[in-house]
Amino acid sequence: MTKKTSADSKPELRIVGAEAAVYDLMRAPETTAERVKRLQMEAHALALEEIDQFEKLLTQAAQKAKDIASGGDAYPVGVREVATRIAADLPTRAETIRTIVGRLG
């Protein structure tokens, strides 16, 4: 049996995810009010991310509608008409959303 010395042993390494929080041991525990405020700020940040994704999806949908509207006889007439209206409307809606979020600053 061989004995492992400290020189032979490898350090124990663990991978920690990016979402792992480092807790400041010198800081006092959060009060309920501080926790509520922090959670509200996190919820607000998540909501802004969702809105950004939504605005991007509207822009993509507008482009797809424009492609269908200009697709010619390959698409039924009624579908092309609806796609034409959507292609005209969605960019305006996306811009409205962008403006509203911009005001929140």
Side-chain angles (χ1 to χ4, degrees), residues 2 6 11 15-16 19-20 34 36 44 55 63 67 69 72 78 89 93-94 99 101 105:
T2 59
S6 61
I15 296 176
V16 178
E19 69 279 352
E34 290 170 337
V36 166
H44 181 70
E55 184 264 323
Q63 183 58 50
D67 293 344
D89 188 43
R93 303 290 181 164
T99 302
V101 170

Side-chain angles (χ1 to χ4, degrees), residues 18-78:
E19 69 279 352
V22 176
Y23 187 76
D24 183 1
L25 295 176
M26 300 303 289
R27 188 179 74 194
E30 275 184 314
T31 65
T32 301
E34 290 170 337
R35 186 171 179 219
V36 166
K37 186 174 182 176
R38 179 180 54 80
L39 290 172
Q40 285 174 334
M41 288 178 12
E42 288 178 20
H44 181 70
L46 288 172
L48 289 177
E49 287 176 20
E50 282 289 304
I51 292 167
D52 183 53
Q53 291 174 359
F54 180 55
E55 184 264 323
K56 287 178 183 175
L57 285 171
L58 289 177
T59 303
Q60 291 172 355
Q63 183 58 50
K64 180 60 78 175
K66 185 178 177 182
D67 293 344
I68 291 172
S70 63
D73 292 335
Y75 298 97
V77 174

Side-chain angles (χ1 to χ4, degrees), residues 70-86:
S70 63
D73 292 335
Y75 298 97
V77 174
V79 173
R80 289 193 315 248
E81 290 174 6
V82 171
T84 300
R85 283 186 245 132
I86 290 172

